[in-house]
Amino acid sequence: MDELKQCVLSSAVDIICVTETHFDKDILDAEIELEGYVLFRQDRNFNIRDENSNDVSERGGSIIYVRNTVQCYKIEGFDDVPDTSAVMISTSKGEVCIACVYR
């Protein structure tokens, strides 16, 4: 998180998409928030196993940070898509969908 915070401080981005977050329900939003941003997260709540039932991927997840001056809302319906976060951003030209997908 420290590296991400440094990147945010050194740039003027409005939207940040991150995959492979490795967050789970034990990590509170307050622990991963960025000052001046609203966060939308989708943690992986399952493990991927190979044909021998060995865990090959326990983590994953995605998160979108949107500057708190940007009008946006979470797009419902993406909760069923693993490791995917999606938001709708309002602009002067209309709405734009931003999706952060981990493959």
Side-chain angles (χ1 to χ4, degrees):
M1 281 300 297
D2 291 336
E3 187 175 338
L4 179 59
K5 288 179 183 179
Q6 286 300 325
C7 287
V8 170
L9 289 174
S10 65
S11 62
V13 296
D14 290 330
I15 302 166
I16 304 163
C17 295
V18 180
T19 61
E20 281 287 341
T21 56
H22 295 205
F23 300 148
D24 61 31
K25 64 180 176 70
D26 296 326
I27 298 174
L28 305 174
D29 285 352
E31 296 176 77
I32 56 174
E33 67 185 9
L34 295 175
E35 187 176 339
Y37 289 83
V38 178
L39 67 88
F40 302 89
R41 66 190 272 191
Q42 183 66 30
D43 302 335
R44 181 179 289 178
N45 56 6
F46 62 92
N47 292 347
I48 298 174
R49 293 185 168 81
D50 65 15
E51 63 276 358
N52 298 317
S53 296
N54 297 315
D55 285 339
V56 293
S57 180
E58 300 173 2
R59 301 295 182 131
S62 66
I63 192 165
I64 300 174
Y65 291 96
V66 180
R67 188 176 298 279
N68 60 12
T69 57
V70 174
Q71 289 184 320
C72 66
Y73 60 90
K74 180 180 180 181
I75 298 176
E76 301 301 328
F78 277 87
D79 292 336
D80 294 337
V81 181
D83 305 325
T84 301
S85 304
V87 296
M88 191 66 73
I89 306 292
S90 297
T91 73
S92 60
K93 303 286 184 187
E95 292 188 322
V96 177
C97 174
I98 303 290
C100 183
V101 182
Y102 174 75
R103 186 188 83 87

